[in-house]
Amino acid sequence: MMDIKNSKRPFIIAGPCSAENEQQVLETAKQISLYGIKVFRAGIWKPRTRPGNFEGVGSKGLNWLKKVKSETGMQVTTEVANTKHVYEALKAGIDILWIGARTSANPFAVQEIADSVAGMNIPVMIKNPINADIDLWVGAIERFQKAGITNITAIHRGFSSFTASKYRNEPMWQIPIELRRRMKELPIICDPSHISGKRNLLQSVSQKAMDLNYEGLMIETHINPDIALSDAKQQITPNDLKRLIDNLIIRHRKPGDSDFPEYEETLEELRTKIDEYDNIIFGYIHKRMEVAKDIGSVKKKSKITILQPERWNQIVKNAVKKGEELGLSNKFVTAFLNSVHQESINQQTNIFNKTDEG
Ligand code: PEP
Ligand code: MN
């Protein structure tokens, strides 16, 4: 039985995004089993953003996972998204089930799956919902707890976001940090593959997760990532997986439970929250500048001056009022807005000065 809490950190789960054929599954499994990895993952039923993409090999892939078990001794896990998947996976002897990010976002689906495993002795891993809503994640976990599942693990795979980012899914580390605060006993595993979306970010995201005290990592691994049928850009070879794990620096976890819960969040966790909020602020300032530039183009075409004093006074007045409600000083709000406004004017001036081409 998977026992993440009492295993040596990091607890690693590895295997391809999707099971594609028997040879790919078994070869990948054999190679990673040599590195002492205890749990093998592979998606059989793949939820895809648009129809027509590779949607998984379906039930026949379960036989390949059975072979992985018998030939390597690793435990196996796959994603289940409905009761039929659960039934087939359990019948095939899948050791651990995982709930995907799209499913976690849907309480009806989560409840149905939880009902179908009620009272069973099966470990369940629950990915965060694609939208950045901690209550939805907690809710999914609670549905399985209420169904009597005791071996539950959360998987942090990042959140979809509409601001530009180097990540495929924004990590928003403050959310799993908050999950840990609310559910102290729950093991948390990071899925750097779906956060990163590309190989060159995997090491740093994995390291971050270790520094934030996560129990483990789930990393997509494929014998030939470049020709993978799904998530090719983020999968790595078994060799690279080994290198990534060897390069991790595993620091000591903080000693025992503190008598002062208010101090339990580590400095690293608090700094991470600050970085995340700065990230969000700059993402929105970027969006604001893009709109300011569009306004610049409109003003240019309609021959209106850049500075519109009444409009600006109104913005400042609204912001100062809002700031007061939020406990921010007038001085700060005004200085901050002036600085943003100056940058907007500069960017609009650039547009005015640009000569029209064509
Ligand atoms: C996966 O693990 O391959 C997967 C589909 O993940 P997610 O549900 O996090 O998108
Ligand atoms: Mn994937």
Side-chain angles (χ1 to χ4, degrees):
M1 190 72 157
M2 177 173 77
D3 184 3
I4 295 184
K5 270 273 172 194
N6 295 307
S7 300
K8 187 166 161 273
R9 280 198 325 138
F11 188 94
I12 307 281
I13 299 170
C17 177
S18 304
E20 298 169 7
N21 57 65
E22 182 167 337
Q23 191 255 350
Q24 168 247 5
V25 169
L26 283 173
E27 261 315 302
T28 309
K30 277 181 195 155
Q31 288 192 35
I32 67 176
S33 71
L34 300 178
Y35 309 144
I37 286 155
K38 301 282 187 301
V39 178
F40 182 79
R41 64 149 283 156
I44 302 287
W45 301 285
K46 300 301 297 180
R48 303 314 299 273
T49 304
R50 298 186 57 195
N53 292 337
F54 174 65
E55 290 184 317
V57 292
S59 312
K60 72 173 181 224
L62 293 169
N63 293 322
W64 310 334
L65 291 180
K66 271 191 194 168
K67 274 205 177 161
V68 168
K69 274 181 79 161
S70 61
E71 292 188 17
T72 70
M74 284 190 285
Q75 295 204 313
V76 293
T77 180
T78 199
E79 173 175 351
V80 290
N82 58 41
T83 48
K84 177 180 161 288
H85 296 165
V86 171
Y87 174 78
E88 291 195 27
L90 293 179
K91 202 171 75 177
I94 298 294
D95 302 285
I96 303 153
L97 305 177
W98 98 68
I99 310 300
R102 289 155 195 79
T103 307
S104 296
N106 178 352
F108 284 128
V110 171
Q111 190 59 54
E112 201 178 295
I113 298 168
D115 290 343
S116 73
V117 294
M120 285 183 193
N121 188 19
I122 179 96
V124 178
M125 304 191 290
I126 303 167
K127 288 199 166 196
N128 66 256
I130 40 179
N131 45 327
D133 179 345
I134 178 137
D135 286 315
L136 209 45
W137 199 5
V138 168
I141 294 163
E142 286 171 339
R143 287 178 200 276
F144 283 92
Q145 287 175 334
K146 282 200 159 61
I149 300 296
T150 52
N151 193 335
I152 297 177
T153 299
I155 300 181
H156 169 219
R157 51 78 79 199
F159 302 87
S160 69
S161 137
F162 64 100
T163 52
S165 164
K166 64 177 176 176
Y167 300 106
R168 176 179 177 196
N169 290 291
E170 271 306 307
M172 303 184 126
W173 298 100
Q174 74 277 18
I175 292 180
I177 290 172
E178 174 63 12
L179 180 68
R180 171 132 285 166
R181 196 185 65 76
R182 291 207 208 167
M183 299 183 136
K184 287 200 169 42
E185 298 309 315
L186 183 77
I188 306 183
I189 279 195
C190 180
D191 170 348
S193 307
H194 290 89
I195 290 177
S196 305
K198 48 185 164 311
R199 290 171 203 141
N200 64 359
L201 295 175
L202 291 174
Q203 186 80 46
S204 60
V205 172
S206 304
Q207 184 62 51
K208 179 88 190 171
M210 287 300 103
D211 290 338
L212 288 174
N213 254 329
Y214 283 49
E215 275 72 17
L217 303 168
M218 178 193 255
I219 301 179
E220 286 190 339
T221 310
H222 189 293
I223 35 160
N224 198 346
D226 288 331
I227 57 163
L229 297 181
S230 58
D231 291 350
K233 289 204 185 77
Q234 71 196 30
Q235 301 206 60
I236 53 175
T237 61
N239 245 325
D240 285 343
L241 173 70
K242 178 166 189 327
R243 196 184 354 238
L244 186 154
I245 297 169
D246 288 346
N247 284 336
L248 287 173
I249 300 165
I250 307 298
R251 300 183 169 90
H252 294 298
R253 311 184 81 163
K254 63 180 185 306
D257 277 339
S258 161
D259 289 339
F260 304 96
E262 64 270 33
Y263 296 137
E264 276 195 3
E265 279 182 277
T266 63
L267 202 53
E268 178 66 20
E269 287 171 342
L270 294 169
R271 286 185 173 145
T272 298
K273 282 190 183 174
I274 293 277
D275 291 348
E276 281 295 352
Y277 288 124
D278 284 349
N279 212 6
I280 292 169
I281 291 168
F282 280 108
Y284 278 102
I285 289 183
H286 166 78
K287 275 186 173 298
R288 192 190 189 285
M289 289 303 159
E290 293 299 302
V291 176
K293 284 197 256 177
D294 287 347
I295 293 180
S297 309
V298 172
K299 285 178 183 163
K300 184 180 182 184
K301 281 193 199 112
S302 47
K303 300 201 164 49
I304 300 175
T305 55
I306 290 182
L307 186 65
Q308 297 286 311
E310 310 88 83
R311 162 81 181 141
W312 176 238
N313 281 339
Q314 197 54 47
I315 290 180
V316 175
K317 248 167 88 186
N318 290 347
V320 164
K321 185 159 164 280
K322 181 88 198 159
E324 273 168 10
E325 287 164 21
L326 297 172
L328 302 170
S329 70
N330 291 359
K331 193 171 158 220
F332 165 73
V333 171
T334 317
F336 175 75
L337 260 188
N338 272 328
S339 167
V340 171
H341 188 231
Q342 188 55 55
E343 178 69 9
S344 278
I345 289 179
N346 294 348
Q347 302 233 8
Q348 292 192 2
T349 308
N350 289 342
I351 288 189
F352 267 56
N353 292 343
K354 227 167 67 189
T355 48
D356 290 320
E357 283 152 26

